[in-house]
């Protein structure tokens, strides 16, 4: 059996324990939830109004649910590592299997766009009125951190990213926003030194020699 402790701990932390079944906050009736976010018992029967359970039973229900989600996730053969799988177990337990299956998250996973997948996961933080739910915001952050725990999220080395950005610069709005955001995070002294070294005020073509050309096009 897989170690599901990371997923279980996140779910327990954010669902909290409820001894008594409580109604759906939108409908005020069904579906009812009990324990650590369980709406069905292991035998498939739904939780009903007035039902009670102990922490021991609640944990038993939760393990059963997570094991089912894990089996479904494994069948998709997405090539996930353990941290990714556990993060998704918590995420899927939160939003439901059908919602996950038809979400953009799985589209990103199939393309192995793991950073894109976490961006999509981060969108699942709103209630039915499109207001941010604070608990969901914190939960998504924890799930995303776990998901990316063993992922290299920096494909560009620090010596390449700015050169690549300069080569590809077209003044597109997203590029301008990214540059302004970077400027805000850099010390004005560092920016000033960069401006002087870069010789921003000079016409680049007046001081361009063959050595510069070789450096630019061979880098």
């Amino acid at each position: 059996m897989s170690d599901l402790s990371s997923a279980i701990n996140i779910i327990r932390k954010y669902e909290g324990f409820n001894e008594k079944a409580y109604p759906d906050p939108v409908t005020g009736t069904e579906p009812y939830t009990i324990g650590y976010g369980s709406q069905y018992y292991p035998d498939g029967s739904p939780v009903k109004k007035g039902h009670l359970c102990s922490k021991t039973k609640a944990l038993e229900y939760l393990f059963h649910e997570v094991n089912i989600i894990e089996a479904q996730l494994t069948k998709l053969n997405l090539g996930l590592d353990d941290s990714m799988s556990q993060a998704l177990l918590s995420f899927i337990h939160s939003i439901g299997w059908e919602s996950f299956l038809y979400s953009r998250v799985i589209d990103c996973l199939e393309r192995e766009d793991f950073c894109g997948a976490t961006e999509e996961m981060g969108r699942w933080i709103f209630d039915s009125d499109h207001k941010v739910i604070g608990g969901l915001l914190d939960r998504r952050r924890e799930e995303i951190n776990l998901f990316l725990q063993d992922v290299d999220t920096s494909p560009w080395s620090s010596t390449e990213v700015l050169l690549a950005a300069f080569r590809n610069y077209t003044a597109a709005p997203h590029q301008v926003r990214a540059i302004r955001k970077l400027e805000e995070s850099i010390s004005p002294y560092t920016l000033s030194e960069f401006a002087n070294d870069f010789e921003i005020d000079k016409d680049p073509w007046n001081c361009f020699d063959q050595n510069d050309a070789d450096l630019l096009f061979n880098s």
Side-chain angles (χ1 to χ4, degrees):
M1 181 179 294
S2 301
D3 175 16
L4 306 175
S5 59
S6 295
I8 294 292
N9 288 339
I10 293 176
I11 295 170
R12 290 177 67 186
K13 177 179 179 179
Y14 291 101
E15 292 289 346
F17 170 70
N18 288 277
E19 178 185 31
K20 185 177 181 180
Y22 61 90
D24 180 89
V26 176
T27 66
T29 56
E30 296 180 346
Y32 282 85
T33 304
I34 202 169
Y36 297 108
S38 298
Q39 295 180 341
Y40 293 89
Y41 296 109
D43 65 1
S45 61
V47 173
K48 295 290 186 179
K49 182 179 180 179
H51 285 188
L52 301 171
C53 77
S54 65
K55 284 189 175 181
T56 300
K57 277 295 182 183
L59 194 56
E60 178 183 317
Y61 303 153
L62 179 56
F63 267 101
H64 176 77
E65 292 165 4
V66 172
N67 272 293
I68 290 177
I69 296 171
E70 183 192 32
Q72 293 172 312
L73 191 59
T74 300
K75 288 180 181 178
L76 296 179
N77 194 29
L78 296 171
L80 308 171
D81 64 28
D82 182 65
S83 296
M84 292 176 180
S85 295
Q86 295 226 34
L88 287 174
L89 292 180
S90 173
F91 178 70
I92 296 168
H93 185 272
S94 174
I95 72 169
W97 177 255
E98 291 297 318
S99 295
F100 168 72
L101 198 59
Y102 296 101
S103 71
R104 293 180 180 176
V105 177
I106 197 167
D107 295 334
C108 292
L109 293 173
E110 289 174 342
R111 298 193 303 269
E112 296 187 358
D113 178 8
F114 299 130
C115 290
T118 58
E119 289 179 8
E120 292 300 330
M121 290 169 65
R123 300 179 190 277
W124 290 79
I125 57 174
F126 302 99
D127 61 17
S128 57
D129 295 321
H130 304 290
K131 295 180 180 179
V132 174
I133 301 174
L136 283 184
L137 182 61
D138 293 335
R139 179 170 179 169
R140 295 296 173 260
R141 286 173 179 161
E142 193 161 337
E143 290 166 346
I144 288 169
N145 287 338
L146 176 60
F147 185 93
L148 296 175
Q149 182 172 284
D150 300 314
V151 177
D152 179 8
T153 58
S154 302
W156 300 100
S157 71
S158 59
T159 58
E160 295 177 347
V161 63
L162 288 178
L163 286 175
F166 290 149
R167 292 192 197 101
N168 297 325
Y169 183 72
T170 61
H174 71 278
Q175 293 177 332
V176 174
R177 287 195 298 269
I179 290 172
R180 287 176 175 165
K181 184 176 180 181
L182 179 61
E183 284 181 337
E184 291 172 359
S185 67
I186 297 176
S187 161
Y189 301 104
T190 302
L191 280 175
S192 178
E193 184 179 5
F194 170 77
N196 290 333
D197 292 342
F198 195 80
E199 299 181 346
I200 285 178
D201 294 330
K202 292 186 178 181
D203 183 344
W205 302 109
N206 288 340
C207 55
F208 207 81
D209 59 28
Q210 187 59 46
N211 290 333
D212 293 325
D214 291 341
L215 178 61
L216 175 63
F217 294 108
N218 294 325
S219 61

